[in-house]
Amino acid sequence: MSKQVNSEKLPVLHTVAEVRAWRQTQRKENKSVGYVATMGALHAGHLSLVDAAAAQCDSVIVSIFVNPAQFAPHEDLDQYPRTLPEDVNKLAAACLPSCTCVVFAPSVTEMYPRGITTDRTQQRGTFVEVLGLSEMLEGGTRPHFFRGVATVVAKLFHIIMPDDAFFGQKDVQQCCVLRAMVQDLYFPLVLHVIPTVRDPEDGLALSSRNVYLSPEQRSRAPTFYRGLCRARDLFDSGVVSREKLISVVKEEAAKGGLDIEYISLSSPEDLSELETVGSSGAVLSGAWRMGTTRLIDNILVGFKF
């Protein structure tokens, strides 16, 4: 038996026409609109974005859409968790009574009327690319990813027309890519980056993919964050050398037996690799695998979004 969506407390919109009609109502009532983009499987990290939006805006709209364009044919699109009823009920429980909250849960056809395949060479229609930033870091191993992210977020911005949009720092490169897109395409909105929400016991960044970890993998996964914290402590003590900051992350990751893909010390502006941390600060980030599960994390040193 399927679980019921709490639609009385939290309307669920499925079409572009429904969202535009809702947005027109907010405009007539002179209400500001905050937007949170998700792919569902909501956890406390997502809800922190909703809280931030509700604290600043009169109304909040949360999109729940597993976007095929940001997956490659060999990635986990079919396995990605789809938990719409549970997600809507979490949002209904979390949304402040003083703030109007709705969900936009479109179909793939609604978002990609020409159709969509994960094979980029076979894709047809209109796509958005943020060149330069998209090729750095995550783009090295997932060259399709940020094209898919930029495309779907541009569509959602056009559909929803929010005043403010809220994204999590855990996906720091995504934040940089979208910030550039907002500037380059003159989207009339403010993009906010909200600090990563972590497990209070061991600091592991909350992620929808954490559910794939075995208990043994889950116990080792936080060693990367411990390395990031050691590096931040070094920076705070005056160390700005790439080699020294990255070496302590590697040391901690080795203790956990993590299969590291990369560790980066990069510029907040263009994500180019840095040899030393200058006055503009840096992003210290990385990706690693635990079995078949790929995780990412980062900290900011010397700057804030």
Side-chain angles (χ1 to χ4, degrees):
M1 182 180 296
S2 62
K3 296 182 180 180
Q4 295 297 309
V5 173
N6 195 343
S7 57
E8 291 184 2
K9 292 185 178 179
L10 195 65
V12 180
L13 312 178
H14 295 283
T15 68
V16 173
E18 289 174 326
V19 173
R20 287 182 168 164
W22 175 83
R23 184 65 181 89
Q24 184 66 17
T25 298
Q26 306 311 300
R27 186 177 292 109
K28 288 179 179 178
E29 296 177 359
N30 199 30
K31 290 183 176 180
S32 59
V33 171
Y35 168 51
V36 176
T38 83
M39 294 208 301
L42 301 185
H43 51 64
H46 298 109
L47 298 180
S48 74
L49 303 181
V50 176
D51 288 343
Q56 183 151 330
C57 302
D58 301 313
S59 301
V60 176
I61 182 166
V62 179
S63 64
I64 298 177
F65 178 66
V66 180
N67 176 33
Q70 65 196 64
F71 289 80
H74 66 280
E75 292 180 333
D76 58 351
L77 174 60
D78 291 338
Q79 285 73 43
Y80 197 90
R82 292 162 171 82
T83 55
L84 181 62
E86 294 89 342
D87 292 339
V88 172
N89 288 332
K90 286 179 183 178
L91 289 168
C95 284
L96 299 174
S98 59
C99 181
T100 301
C101 190
V102 301
V103 171
F104 179 36
S107 65
V108 173
T109 301
E110 189 74 9
M111 292 303 297
Y112 294 98
R114 294 176 183 266
I116 187 68
T117 171
T118 57
D119 183 349
R120 180 171 172 171
T121 65
Q122 300 299 313
Q123 291 174 355
R124 300 291 181 269
T126 303
F127 293 83
V128 178
E129 291 187 273
V130 180
L131 300 179
L133 287 169
S134 295
E135 285 77 52
M136 312 300 285
L137 304 178
E138 291 290 292
T141 55
R142 307 182 74 196
H144 58 285
F145 180 74
F146 290 108
R147 177 176 182 263
V149 169
T151 296
V152 77
V153 173
K155 286 172 178 270
L156 289 161
F157 282 170
H158 279 301
I159 293 165
I160 296 167
M161 300 182 68
D163 299 292
D164 298 86
F166 298 80
F167 293 87
Q169 182 194 313
K170 187 180 78 68
D171 300 304
V172 66
Q173 185 174 2
Q174 172 177 279
C175 294
C176 293
V177 167
L178 295 178
R179 181 177 61 180
M181 183 185 77
V182 166
Q183 293 170 347
D184 291 348
L185 298 184
Y186 296 98
F187 281 102
L189 59 87
V190 178
L191 191 148
H192 304 266
V193 178
I194 306 303
T196 302
V197 176
R198 300 182 178 278
D199 186 295
E201 297 296 324
D202 58 25
L204 183 67
L206 300 191
S207 168
S208 301
R209 287 192 165 93
N210 289 353
V211 298
Y212 299 142
L213 299 175
S214 69
E216 187 272 337
Q217 290 171 337
R218 176 63 184 78
S219 70
R220 293 189 288 115
T223 55
F224 192 88
Y225 179 59
R226 287 200 284 272
L228 293 177
C229 291
R230 279 187 60 194
R232 181 169 53 199
D233 290 343
L234 272 183
F235 174 80
D236 290 342
S237 71
V239 175
V240 296
S241 161
R242 171 190 183 85
E243 180 181 358
K244 292 179 179 179
L245 295 174
I246 287 182
S247 67
V248 298
V249 183
K250 288 181 177 178
E251 287 175 9
E252 290 296 325
K255 294 176 184 178
L258 306 187
D259 179 13
I260 298 295
E261 280 195 3
Y262 71 84
I263 302 175
S264 166
L265 184 73
S266 58
S267 162
E269 296 303 318
D270 61 10
L271 298 180
S272 60
E273 294 298 321
L274 300 174
E275 291 304 317
T276 59
V277 182
S279 59
S280 297
V283 178
L284 183 58
S285 64
W288 71 99
R289 289 188 179 274
M290 309 287 293
T292 59
T293 303
R294 186 175 187 275
L295 300 176
I296 60 173
D297 203 353
N298 70 84
I299 60 169
L300 311 180
V301 292
F303 87 103
K304 294 181 180 180
F305 277 105

